[in-house]
Amino acid sequence: MDTYDPKTIETKWQRVWEDARAFYVDDPPPGAEPDDKFYQLEMLPYPSGNLHMGHVLNYTLGDVVTHFQRRHGKHVLRPMGWDSFGLPAENAAINEGGHPREIVERNIDNIERQMHRLGWAIDWDRVIAAHDPAYYRWTQWLFLRFLEHELAYRKEAAVNWCPHDQTVLANEQVVNGHCDRCGTAVEVRKLEQWFFRITAYADALLRDHALIDWPERTKTIQRNWIGRSEGAELLFRIDELDVDVPVFTTRPDTVFGATFFVLAPEHPLVDTMVERSPNGAELGEYVSKAMLRRVEERASAEDKTGVFTGFVATNPATDEPIPVWVADYVLMEYGTGAIMAVPGHDERDRAFAEGFELPVVPVLDEEAGTLVDSAQFSGMAVEEAKQAIVEWLGSRGRGRSAVSFRLRDWGFSRQRYWGCPIPVVYCENCGIVPVPDDQLPVLLPEVDDYRPKGKPPLASNEEWLNVPCPSCGGPGKREAETMDTFVDSAWYFLRYCDPHNDREPFSRRLVDFWGPVDQYIGGIDHATGHLLYSRFFVKVLNEQGMVGFREPFQRLFHQGWVRQGGTKMSKSKGNVTAPDELADMYGADAVRLYILFVGPADQDMDWTEEGIEGIGRFLRRLWRIVHEAADGPGGSDGDAGPLVRKAHETIAKVTDDIGRRFVFNTPIAAVMELVNELGRDPSAPGARFAAETAVSLIQPYAPHIAEELWSTLGHERLWEAPWPVADQTQLARETFELVLQVNGRVRDRVEASVGESEAELVERAKASPKVQVHLDGKEIRQTIVVPGKLVNLVV
RNA sequence: GCCGGGGUGGCGAAAUUGGUCAUACGCGCCUGACUUAAAAUCAGGUGUCCCUCCGGGGACGUAAGGGUUCGAGUCCCUUCCCCGGCACCA
């Protein structure tokens, strides 16, 4: 027996798998039924720097599922690609000093090497990269379809601007008022931007949660983010300006208590008011100050601020004039940017009314939940009144039921170089003109200076910028902004199904065979970003007949964060080791096992190398014990005995854990138990079967050593061997340990046979001397028998 | 404030439908074997407290308190703490 040398066998088997094209799949496999397929996907990595332990967890999880499903006879599509456009990659390039393309491609080579080193079962024929023209050609093509359907549009909007990264950020990229990437405080700027009309799908995105098997947590986050509120849109007339101003309210029942009216500083009417109001100067000053304050600052301000506009609006319920104010506690981003203020029943309005001595009129009896001082609606219950008042106002042309969302349209243009060019041309005569499909891709030109400086770097590239208008042939300018990288990743999982197609982004036949993704694995940090965008894209593509499903990811699992906390470890052991260095020290199998063994995969952890030695010990023990079992007299499946039974129990446990419970740490413990038992006597009856079982079950985690030991045991190609099946007759027991309790406390345990009747079991309990001590001659008031488990005597 | 998830040995964690002295598996630690020695390896031990004739016996113990139940880590109530989402959203 050779000693266990991970490096040698890992290199050896990786070559064998590659030569056998073990993990590549045809499209679709000949004779495959749709039910035979399994699409396993993990979120694709940004190719910046090195893999870290978080990646190792993510992709090893996917790998275990891949092997498990393959060995259950599924045709498993398990691809890999690179999210190589966008800020993370570009920032990495800026930091490392070089052209993004070179940096990104170097990083891709490195990461790909690390992935091979860890032995992940990937179909490398299907690799895609966001920055590859063969890919982004189709990102552009899809954008044009969105544009055709008016689901992509351009408008001026107040946007989040990161002064450090010199670019616009999507709401999803702003965390607590700071740039998600660099942490700089975000400013608000008014700019023309490209948007995807995701708000048109707000309801569908909520409704279709019912179709997918996702963690409740994630659905809740999306639900909160979409923020659906039911209410009404009511019209308040400002006579002097001859306008009806709509407000959104969830409390139309309180309209009789609306004693003033508030506009957001950004509200379009405010400009007119500044011009025409007697205190226009003060108003103008307030507005420009408010616009400079970040939303976060506005919210944290202790006192509410505002200025009276000098105008009055008519309350549509009371027909009374109420003063119109401008105040920054009203946000332009939500509802209509105007509110009816009901200080009697809204905390914020109350605070404002108190600050500025505005009238407070209660219109609800809070105790009774009924309306007061509300004309014919007085005495009505709140819910009833909501409907009745909206109907009544509706009949007067002053209101209607409405739904409002917190979700905003997705601003996806970026003033940066390293992204997918937006394929439109601006023409003085024709306006925004799409680049014709047959002229795609619009290639990202090579430039020397790609650093951001407030305007898109491509805007300085005259040679590239100036092109004839595709429509009239007159002078035109290309769009110099590029797409957010989340556009690239909103459809990549579809391209994997048909990665080499050069006539269309993917064929309907192939996406409908492979799609949707059966199991998606990735971080929960993408809950309101990538996961929402991808759902939106698939809904649009479904409506346009390009895919046959409405949801991209049928099942979703979030791995926990691997943190590198400030524990003693990092101090005493110096820097945290990179995954491939760790693989060189202990072997890829040990790294893979360890990251899944330390705890539940969906739970956050502080990374520590303490304990990986234990996995190393386990693998060496496995190696030695399997060799001993292989050399010994052995014994096969047919032999009964404790070892064979233990093997079948382990099969049942591991299969249930991975397949049904989707837990990955306890199967390793179960195999360790089996190996411990086998190690007590590797020549016991059934030892060979136990060894084969242990090797077979550990294969998804540690495929290299498993493959090597499988051949030691005289077999071939474990990667395509059927997953073992627990033999129910082996699991069945003739006897069991009967637990004897007195008053719910265990007092004794005896061997009992499964055939015994309840009365017989009770007799055995009464016969036990240990039980008798606790019965102490007392009267038995109750007897509980759980068949196959226990007898409880209550005295 | 609203919504969601948690709290188990020295440590990472098991306990799946309320039913096997709760703590599997691993780490760490302790003892022993091998060794000149150490490492590695192997064998054994390791919740707390009390009693012991050394065979063992008993009580307590899953954030705190209460409840349901023959029986609760698991179900219910109250409180505390931690993590995450939303939050001047009308």
Side-chain angles (χ1 to χ4, degrees):
Chain A
M1 175 181 88
D2 298 327
T3 53
Y4 170 48
D5 175 22
K7 228 175 178 173
T8 310
I9 64 166
E10 286 171 5
T11 313
K12 166 183 160 186
W13 288 106
Q14 283 163 16
R15 189 166 303 135
V16 170
W17 296 328
E18 198 57 36
D19 290 347
R21 293 179 56 82
F23 308 118
Y24 293 65
V25 278
D26 300 329
D27 336 282
E33 298 289 324
D35 284 354
D36 295 341
K37 72 93 184 179
F38 193 94
Y39 187 175
Q40 167 59 45
L41 187 65
E42 304 92 57
M43 291 178 184
L44 83 176
Y46 300 121
S48 48
N50 280 298
L51 287 186
H52 52 70
M53 291 316 295
H55 291 119
V56 175
L57 174 58
N58 194 180
Y59 299 119
T60 304
L61 275 170
D63 217 49
V64 171
V65 176
T66 298
H67 285 297
F68 185 81
Q69 292 295 343
R70 279 179 44 84
R71 293 183 56 202
H72 274 87
K74 302 279 187 180
H75 301 280
V76 180
L77 172 61
R78 202 292 184 94
M80 185 56 68
W82 319 110
D83 199 1
S84 45
F85 260 151
L87 281 179
E90 194 181 57
N91 285 342
I94 291 170
N95 290 339
E96 292 174 43
H99 192 278
R101 178 180 298 21
E102 287 165 25
I103 303 284
V104 153
E105 287 177 0
R106 196 171 69 208
N107 286 339
I108 286 174
D109 286 348
N110 184 44
I111 291 177
E112 192 173 324
R113 180 187 56 75
Q114 292 179 311
M115 287 184 166
H116 278 104
R117 177 72 190 86
L118 286 159
W120 288 327
I122 290 164
D123 183 342
W124 290 105
D125 271 359
R126 292 174 184 263
V127 173
I128 58 175
H131 78 289
D132 180 352
Y135 181 79
Y136 71 71
R137 169 184 179 185
W138 300 112
T139 307
Q140 294 175 342
W141 188 92
L142 288 169
F143 159 83
L144 292 175
R145 303 291 84 76
F146 279 66
L147 187 63
E148 278 168 8
H149 289 82
E150 292 177 1
L151 293 169
Y153 66 96
R154 204 169 153 79
K155 71 163 185 198
E156 184 178 81
V159 294
N160 308 299
W161 176 264
C162 174
H164 176 269
D165 287 336
Q166 297 276 305
T167 187
V168 167
L169 302 172
N171 290 343
E172 290 79 349
Q173 290 168 320
V174 180
V175 179
N176 292 328
H178 293 265
C179 173
D180 184 29
R181 295 281 157 226
C182 67
T184 310
V186 168
E187 296 171 1
V188 175
R189 285 200 182 181
K190 265 196 166 178
L191 290 171
E192 273 223 351
Q193 295 296 312
W194 282 99
F195 289 88
F196 281 125
R197 207 177 296 279
I198 190 171
T199 51
Y201 290 79
D203 263 325
L205 289 165
L206 286 173
R207 184 196 52 210
D208 288 350
H209 275 152
L211 302 178
I212 49 183
D213 183 11
W214 282 23
E216 210 41 56
R217 204 166 40 132
T218 316
K219 290 186 186 175
T220 303
I221 292 171
Q222 291 200 339
R223 220 176 286 126
N224 288 343
W225 185 261
I226 294 168
R228 184 182 200 273
S229 312
E230 286 189 17
E233 194 168 282
L234 308 182
L235 295 179
F236 283 66
R237 179 153 188 84
I238 300 178
D239 276 325
E240 289 165 272
L241 298 178
D242 191 25
V243 287
D244 285 322
V245 190
V247 301
F248 175 76
T249 178
T250 54
R251 298 300 305 274
D253 51 308
T254 63
V255 65
F256 285 89
T259 53
F260 60 102
F261 192 88
V262 190
L263 295 168
E266 298 86 352
H267 197 284
L269 271 182
V270 173
D271 286 345
T272 323
M273 290 182 168
V274 171
E275 280 170 32
R276 296 183 38 184
S277 171
N279 62 339
E282 191 196 345
L283 192 56
E285 197 182 325
Y286 177 77
V287 168
S288 30
K289 250 201 234 160
M291 305 266 282
L292 286 176
R293 294 170 86 193
R294 287 177 291 120
V295 174
E296 195 193 0
E297 272 180 292
R298 285 197 193 183
S300 62
E302 289 194 6
D303 294 315
K304 300 212 178 318
T305 60
V307 176
F308 178 52
T309 61
F311 291 84
V312 293
T314 307
N315 181 323
T318 63
D319 287 330
E320 296 289 327
I322 56 174
V324 177
W325 287 66
V326 168
D328 67 4
Y329 82 94
V330 173
L331 309 172
M332 194 59 217
E333 303 91 79
Y334 187 75
T336 62
I339 62 157
M340 63 175 206
V342 183
H345 304 287
D346 182 282
E347 259 182 60
R348 300 151 297 173
D349 297 343
R350 160 102 49 160
F352 192 81
E354 280 170 0
F356 294 96
E357 292 175 5
L358 291 158
V360 178
V361 176
V363 290
L364 277 181
D365 179 340
E366 306 266 6
E367 294 274 294
T370 52
L371 274 63
V372 297
D373 292 334
S374 299
Q376 68 268 39
F377 303 100
S378 299
M380 211 179 255
V382 165
E383 286 311 311
E384 198 190 342
K386 281 184 181 174
Q387 235 184 330
I389 289 180
V390 173
E391 260 171 47
W392 172 64
L393 290 175
S395 70
R396 307 173 71 203
R398 301 273 84 193
R400 58 181 180 86
S401 293
V403 172
S404 185
F405 293 95
R406 209 197 72 100
L407 183 70
R408 307 286 87 202
D409 273 341
W410 169 19
F412 68 93
S413 47
R414 298 290 177 268
Q415 291 65 45
R416 297 283 289 236
Y417 165 69
W418 189 240
C420 176
I422 297 171
V424 300
V425 172
Y426 294 96
C427 167
E428 278 177 27
N429 300 320
C430 315
I432 295 176
V433 182
V435 174
D437 289 354
D438 60 11
Q439 291 175 31
L440 299 181
V442 174
L443 287 171
L444 182 68
E446 292 292 331
V447 298
D448 293 332
D449 187 8
Y450 60 87
R451 281 170 176 69
K453 20 191 172 322
K455 65 170 189 166
L458 290 178
S460 335
N461 190 331
E462 296 289 332
E463 194 186 333
W464 178 81
L465 200 65
N466 293 304
V467 286
C469 166
S471 176
C472 70
K477 279 190 192 305
R478 288 190 190 280
E479 173 60 81
E481 297 182 339
T482 54
M483 293 189 213
D484 179 5
T485 186
F486 281 113
V487 182
D488 307 322
S489 59
W491 75 282
Y492 77 108
F493 45 90
L494 301 172
R495 181 68 178 174
Y496 281 141
C497 300
D498 194 7
H500 307 294
N501 195 329
D502 59 4
R503 300 174 318 280
E504 51 188 349
F506 43 81
S507 85
R508 169 88 189 241
R509 183 180 63 88
L510 290 172
V511 285
D512 281 358
F513 177 79
W514 290 114
V517 171
D518 291 275
Q519 179 66 60
Y520 200 32
I521 303 178
I524 196 168
D525 48 322
H526 288 108
T528 59
H530 163 64
L531 288 170
L532 208 51
Y533 300 147
S534 301
R535 295 184 60 215
F536 161 60
F537 258 55
V538 163
K539 291 191 185 313
V540 172
L541 299 181
N542 174 255
E543 281 179 8
Q544 296 186 15
M546 294 168 66
V547 304
F549 42 89
R550 276 162 41 200
E551 284 289 334
F553 313 122
Q554 194 53 44
R555 292 219 309 162
L556 174 66
F557 180 86
H558 298 298
Q559 82 276 20
W561 291 107
V562 181
R563 281 196 261 266
Q564 308 199 323
T567 52
K568 280 184 226 157
M569 276 317 295
S570 52
K571 272 185 198 164
S572 59
K573 289 226 169 171
N575 294 330
V576 175
T577 322
D580 52 344
E581 283 174 53
L582 219 52
D584 286 342
M585 286 161 68
Y586 300 97
D589 285 335
V591 175
R592 300 166 52 119
L593 272 169
Y594 180 61
I595 195 72
L596 292 179
F597 181 66
V598 280
D602 56 355
Q603 187 176 299
D604 295 353
M605 63 163 132
D606 268 314
W607 171 251
T608 160
E609 281 160 41
E610 240 170 282
I612 195 169
E613 286 289 354
I615 292 292
R617 266 196 281 275
F618 165 67
L619 289 173
R620 286 190 294 274
R621 270 165 54 75
L622 177 71
W623 179 269
R624 177 175 59 81
I625 289 168
V626 169
H627 275 87
E628 285 171 21
D631 293 342
S636 69
D637 189 2
D639 296 331
L643 204 46
V644 170
R645 168 152 54 219
K646 180 73 182 174
H648 283 285
E649 284 170 356
T650 309
I651 294 170
K653 163 82 177 158
V654 172
T655 307
D656 188 52
D657 278 358
I658 300 176
R660 182 181 65 85
R661 298 178 67 209
F662 219 68
V663 296
F664 298 87
N665 52 335
T666 48
I668 301 172
V671 174
M672 284 174 169
E673 274 189 66
L674 175 61
V675 173
N676 287 346
E677 198 149 320
L678 173 62
R680 279 180 207 116
D681 181 6
S683 58
R688 186 174 193 87
F689 177 68
E692 286 172 351
T693 300
V695 167
S696 181
L697 293 177
I698 209 68
Q699 181 268 348
Y701 294 84
H704 311 87
I705 189 173
E707 205 64 61
E708 183 70 24
L709 291 175
W710 194 244
S711 55
T712 302
L713 288 161
H715 308 296
E716 285 186 323
R717 297 168 82 95
L718 180 55
W719 72 83
E720 53 190 25
W723 189 254
V725 177
D727 181 345
Q728 292 304 317
T729 63
Q730 293 280 1
L731 291 175
R733 290 164 175 263
E734 282 169 17
T735 62
F736 65 96
E737 195 179 30
L738 178 69
V739 173
L740 305 179
Q741 297 181 333
V742 177
N743 288 345
R745 305 190 67 104
V746 178
R747 295 304 175 186
D748 198 6
R749 31 189 84 220
V750 293
E751 202 67 8
S753 80
V754 287
E756 286 180 72
S757 71
E758 292 197 4
E760 283 171 314
L761 293 176
V762 171
E763 282 317 305
R764 280 158 130 328
K766 288 178 181 167
S768 157
K770 288 185 185 169
V771 167
Q772 281 167 5
V773 169
H774 289 92
L775 288 178
D776 196 25
K778 290 172 204 154
E779 186 194 348
I780 297 173
R781 291 198 349 243
Q782 198 181 348
T783 308
I784 288 114
V785 180
V786 181
K789 283 185 178 159
L790 57 82
V791 173
N792 186 15
L793 303 176
V794 184
V795 298

